[in-house]
Amino acid sequence: MDQKEVLFDYILHLADNSMIIGQRNSEWCGHGPVLEQDIALTNIALDLIGEARSLYQYAAEIKGGNCTEDSLPFLRDIREFRNLLLVEQPNTDWAYTIVRQFFFDVFHYLVNKDILDNSNDLRLKEIAAKTIKESTYHLKWSSEWVIRLGDGTDISKLKMQTAVDDLWDFTGELFILSETEQKAMDLGFGADLKKAEQLWHEKVKEILNEACLTIPSTDFAQQGGKTGIHSEHFGYILAEMQFMQRAYPGLEW
Amino acid sequence: MEINLEEQFQAKIEQEIKIEPRDWMPEKYRKTLLRQISQHAHSEIVGMLPEGNWITRAPNLRRKVALLAKVQDEAGHGLYLYSAAETLGMSRDQMLEELHTGKAKYSSIFNYPTLTWADMGAIGWLVDGAAIMNQVPLCRTSYGPYARAMVRVCKEESFHQRQGYEIMLTLCKGSEAQKAMAQDALNRWWWPSIMMFGPNDDNSPNSAQSMKWKIKRFSNDELRQKFIDVTVSQTEILGLTIPDKDLKWNESRGHYDFGTINWEEFNNVVAGKGPCNKERLNARVKAWENGAWVRDAATAYAEKRANKKNNSTEAA
C-alpha cells in the first residue's frame, strides 16, 4: 500500500464506523421510548451520517474517477466495509443501543481528539474539529443514559448489565490495530490507539462505576470488521441501505 | 354571571385578542381545542412512521440526511403541540393513552402505505402542502398557545413541502422508470390528500361553532379548493397528470372543478379500515410499551438524585 492507499483505506474505516452506527440509530426514528429521546438519538444519527459524508467526500477525491460520497456507502459489498463489529450490532433494545453508543462515543471522541491534536493531514483535522464538538455532546448524552439506566430500577440495571456483557466482546477490536491503522499512525495522520486505549478504559470504568454496573472480566475480543470480516447482520444492513442504488443503478435522486 | 363571561369571551374573539390558558373560556371551547390540538399532535407522531419507513433505504446520503431531519422535525412539532394541548388541562401521557386505546384520532392520510421512494416526494409535496393550507390560518387561531406553536410548525412545513416537490422534480427529470414512479405516487396520494380537508361543509357539523370562535377561519371546502387551484399548475410543471378526469378550469367560478370524492373510502379509513391503521397504531403502542422500563428507570433515577440532594441539604 502506498501512502495514498493507506489514507484512503483509513478514511473509509472512520467513515464506515460513523455511517453504520448512524444507519443503526436511524432505525429508531419514530420508535423511541419517549419523544425527547427519539429526537436526541435522531440528532446523533444526523451528526454521524453528516460526518461520514464529509469523510466519504474526502475519500472520493483521493480515489478520483467515478468515486463519489454515494458510491462508497451504496456500491461497495460487505467485504469492502472497514467498520468495527460493534457499530453493526443490532439495536435489540434501548439498553443495547445506549451501551453500543457509549462504547463507540468514548472511542470516537478519543480518535478525533488525537487526529485534531496530532494528525499531519489538514483535511482530516478539519473534519475532526467539527466532529469533536458533536461527539462531546454524544458522549455526554450516552454517559448520562448509562448512569440513569444502570442506577435506575432493578429491571433497567439487569438490561444494562446484559447489554454491557454482550457488547463487551466487540470492544477489544477497537484497539487491535489493523495494518492500515498501524501505517496511518506511522505516517503521522492516523490516531494513536495505544494512548486512546488507556483513556478509553479509564472513562468506561468511571461511567460504569457510577452506573453501578460491572465491567466484564473477560478480555476476549471478537474481531474482523476492520478487514471486512463482518457479522451476518451486516448483509441485511447493506441490503436495506443499498436497495435503491442496486435496483436503479446510475440514476440521480 | 355565566352569560356575562361568555359575552366577554366572544367580544375578545371578535377583537382578535388571543385567549390564554388562564383566561375564562367556555367548556366546549376548551374541549374542542383539546381534541383538535391533541389530534394534531398525534398526527405528527403517527406521521413519522410512513416516512420513517424510508429512512434506512433513502437513495443517497443527501436525501437520507434530509429525510431524517424532516421526520425529526415532525417529532418536534409533536412536542410543541402536546405542550400547547397540556395548557388546556390534560397531560401528554393521558393524551397518548387516548391515542393508544383508539379514543383519539389522527389524520387518516397516515394510514396509507409508502411503497416507493417517490412517496417521499408525494407526501412532502401533497400531504405537507395540504397541511400547510390548513395550518397557515391556524397561526391566527384564537387560542394563543396553539397559534404560537403553529407559527413554528408552518415555517418548517413549508420547507418540507419544497423539499418534497424537489424530490418529485428530480424524478420527473430522470429516467422513464423514475417518472412512472412519480406518476404512480401522485395517483395514490392525490385523493387521500384532498380528503385531508375533511368532509364537505354541509356535512361538517362542528365547523360553524369553530368558525364563530375563530378556531377555524376558512371552511373545509374553501381550503380544499384553494389547494387544488395551486396544485394544478405545480403538477403541470412536473409534467404529471392528476388522476381526476373531471378536473377542469371553470372560468365563471374562477376555480378548478373536480370530481366526486369517494367519501365511503374516507369514512372507512377514519373508522380504522385503511390499509395501515393497525400497523400504525401497533407501532406506536409497541414503542410506548417497549419504552416503559426506560421511562420508569429515568423517573426512579431522578427520584434517587432528588433524595440524595435533600439528604445532603439536611445534613448541611
Side-chain angles (χ1 to χ4, degrees):
Chain A
M1 273 200 295
D2 65 20
Q3 180 161 345
K4 205 170 118 179
E5 284 167 337
V6 176
L7 180 59
F8 177 75
D9 209 51
Y10 184 67
I11 299 168
L12 282 188
H13 163 65
L14 299 177
D16 290 345
N17 279 342
S18 295
M19 181 70 230
I20 298 304
I21 198 168
Q23 174 81 1
R24 276 294 191 211
N25 288 341
S26 77
E27 293 171 17
W28 272 103
C29 185
H31 306 275
V34 63
L35 208 41
E36 286 82 349
Q37 300 312 323
D38 200 307
I39 292 173
L41 190 59
T42 302
N43 241 342
I44 292 172
L46 276 167
D47 286 344
L48 291 166
I49 298 172
E51 181 207 351
R53 268 185 93 179
S54 304
L55 290 164
Y56 285 137
Q57 283 162 9
Y58 184 24
E61 284 168 33
I62 292 168
K63 191 80 172 175
N66 297 329
C67 190
T68 68
E69 68 167 32
D70 289 321
S71 69
L72 291 169
F74 293 105
L75 295 175
R76 275 179 302 151
D77 203 354
I78 188 163
R79 295 282 282 103
E80 297 162 275
F81 274 81
R82 295 283 171 260
N83 57 278
L84 301 160
L85 294 174
L86 175 71
V87 299
E88 70 198 51
Q89 297 308 306
N91 290 344
T92 312
D93 63 11
W94 189 252
Y96 274 77
T97 302
I98 290 294
V99 172
R100 183 185 66 199
Q101 190 63 38
F102 171 66
F103 287 161
F104 177 72
D105 286 341
V106 183
F107 175 76
H108 190 223
Y109 174 86
L110 292 169
V111 165
N112 277 285
K113 181 86 175 69
D114 198 58
I115 289 174
L116 182 64
D117 292 345
N118 301 313
S119 177
N120 58 15
D121 187 287
L122 287 180
R123 182 80 171 268
L124 276 184
K125 277 168 96 101
E126 244 174 63
I127 297 170
K130 182 165 183 287
T131 300
I132 202 96
K133 286 183 198 150
E134 297 164 348
S135 81
T136 303
Y137 161 77
H138 303 167
L139 178 56
K140 181 171 182 288
W141 182 85
S142 61
S143 301
E144 284 170 3
W145 270 104
V146 168
I147 295 165
R148 195 174 286 135
L149 295 176
D151 192 19
T153 61
D154 290 345
I155 293 172
S156 70
K157 185 186 170 72
L158 180 64
K159 282 179 183 285
M160 288 298 281
Q161 189 63 58
T162 308
V164 166
D165 293 348
D166 275 2
L167 291 172
W168 189 258
D169 285 355
F170 301 104
T171 59
E173 187 192 23
L174 271 52
F175 305 103
I176 298 172
L177 266 71
S178 67
E179 191 191 339
T180 299
E181 282 173 313
Q182 182 63 56
K183 284 184 177 158
M185 218 168 92
D186 296 343
L187 289 164
F189 53 78
D192 180 349
L193 290 185
K194 274 283 149 274
K195 204 167 71 191
E197 182 172 16
Q198 193 198 337
L199 294 169
W200 188 90
H201 280 281
E202 282 169 16
K203 180 69 181 176
V204 167
K205 196 174 161 193
E206 175 204 325
I207 298 297
L208 292 187
N209 278 342
E210 198 176 337
C212 314
L213 295 169
T214 311
I215 294 179
S217 50
T218 169
D219 55 6
F220 169 74
Q222 293 283 3
Q223 51 179 311
K226 290 174 179 182
T227 50
I229 311 285
H230 293 277
S231 62
E232 286 185 351
H233 305 297
F234 200 71
Y236 295 91
I237 295 179
L238 293 188
E240 208 171 328
M241 189 168 92
Q242 299 183 339
F243 161 66
M244 290 294 291
Q245 293 286 350
R246 301 293 187 187
Y248 303 93
L251 301 180
E252 293 291 319
W253 299 96
Chain B
M1 189 63 188
E2 184 82 344
I3 295 164
N4 205 354
L5 283 170
E6 191 137 5
E7 277 171 6
Q8 283 172 13
F9 172 83
Q10 193 60 40
K12 267 170 131 178
I13 300 267
E14 301 301 332
Q15 292 165 56
E16 301 284 340
I17 298 170
K18 292 274 179 271
I19 306 302
E20 296 299 335
R22 287 158 193 269
D23 296 347
W24 184 89
M25 62 186 82
E27 186 53 20
K28 197 157 170 263
Y29 175 85
R30 194 185 64 81
K31 277 198 170 138
T32 302
L33 269 170
L34 184 56
R35 197 193 64 225
Q36 183 173 336
I37 305 173
S38 63
Q39 223 173 72
H40 191 164
H42 298 329
S43 300
E44 297 285 355
I45 302 312
V46 177
M48 294 169 75
L49 300 170
E51 288 176 288
N53 185 36
W54 276 88
I55 290 171
T56 55
R57 289 179 293 168
N60 59 38
L61 292 181
R62 183 172 74 94
R63 294 291 186 203
K64 187 188 287 287
V65 168
L67 183 60
L68 200 46
K70 186 196 169 185
V71 180
Q72 187 194 34
D73 282 348
E74 283 156 12
H77 298 170
L79 269 188
Y80 315 153
L81 288 162
Y82 282 124
S83 303
E86 282 186 313
T87 63
L88 293 159
M90 190 187 274
S91 72
R92 198 204 300 181
D93 283 8
Q94 282 173 293
M95 288 183 253
L96 288 174
E97 171 75 18
E98 293 197 342
L99 172 69
H100 297 156
T101 55
K103 195 180 165 208
K105 300 275 182 234
Y106 55 86
S107 180
S108 280
I109 192 80
F110 302 119
N111 290 318
Y112 289 88
T114 53
L115 302 182
T116 71
W117 172 252
D119 291 11
M120 299 305 99
I123 289 179
W125 172 39
L126 300 172
V127 176
D128 292 332
I132 292 166
M133 280 296 165
N134 266 326
Q135 290 170 0
V136 167
L138 288 174
C139 298
R140 295 188 297 125
T141 197
S142 57
Y143 187 58
Y146 192 24
R148 289 189 287 273
M150 289 316 299
V151 171
R152 296 174 68 182
V153 171
C154 281
K155 275 185 196 156
E156 291 174 353
E157 289 293 0
S158 61
F159 178 71
H160 296 165
Q161 199 213 1
R162 282 202 298 277
Q163 196 171 282
Y165 190 71
E166 203 255 315
I167 291 177
M168 294 302 275
L169 208 53
T170 308
L171 293 173
C172 291
K173 283 187 202 153
S175 72
E176 280 307 309
Q178 285 173 305
K179 202 168 170 186
M181 196 188 270
Q183 181 64 56
D184 173 64
L186 172 59
N187 293 348
R188 284 181 290 111
W189 291 95
W190 174 255
W191 289 102
S193 297
I194 65 171
M195 289 178 199
M196 280 175 71
F197 296 94
N200 289 129
D201 294 347
D202 49 13
N203 217 352
S204 179
N206 300 322
S207 284
Q209 182 64 73
S210 283
M211 299 274 262
K212 190 178 168 223
W213 280 332
K214 296 194 178 177
I215 296 174
K216 262 177 104 130
R217 292 183 181 260
F218 299 98
S219 77
N220 295 353
D221 286 330
E222 283 171 324
L223 290 167
R224 182 167 17 242
Q225 183 70 61
K226 204 172 162 197
F227 174 72
I228 292 171
D229 289 346
V230 303
T231 307
V232 171
S233 62
Q234 294 169 359
T235 313
E236 283 164 2
I237 294 169
L238 294 173
L240 298 177
T241 310
I242 289 174
D244 178 358
K245 61 178 171 33
D246 298 320
L247 186 85
K248 63 169 186 292
W249 179 250
N250 182 326
E251 193 64 51
S252 64
R253 285 206 310 130
H255 290 294
Y256 281 92
D257 289 339
F258 53 95
T260 315
I261 292 171
N262 182 352
W263 291 115
E264 196 188 331
E265 176 183 326
F266 176 80
N267 291 328
N268 270 335
V269 182
V270 172
K273 293 181 190 128
C276 300
N277 292 59
K278 283 197 182 118
E279 285 90 335
R280 299 295 185 241
L281 204 53
N282 285 347
R284 286 312 316 156
V285 170
K286 194 176 153 213
W288 186 249
E289 287 176 353
N290 288 346
W293 71 269
V294 178
R295 297 188 301 274
D296 290 347
T299 310
Y301 177 75
E303 278 166 10
K304 281 186 201 174
R305 289 277 295 223
N307 286 342
K308 253 185 209 164
K309 209 173 175 186
N310 284 344
N311 290 343
S312 62
T313 325
E314 277 163 29

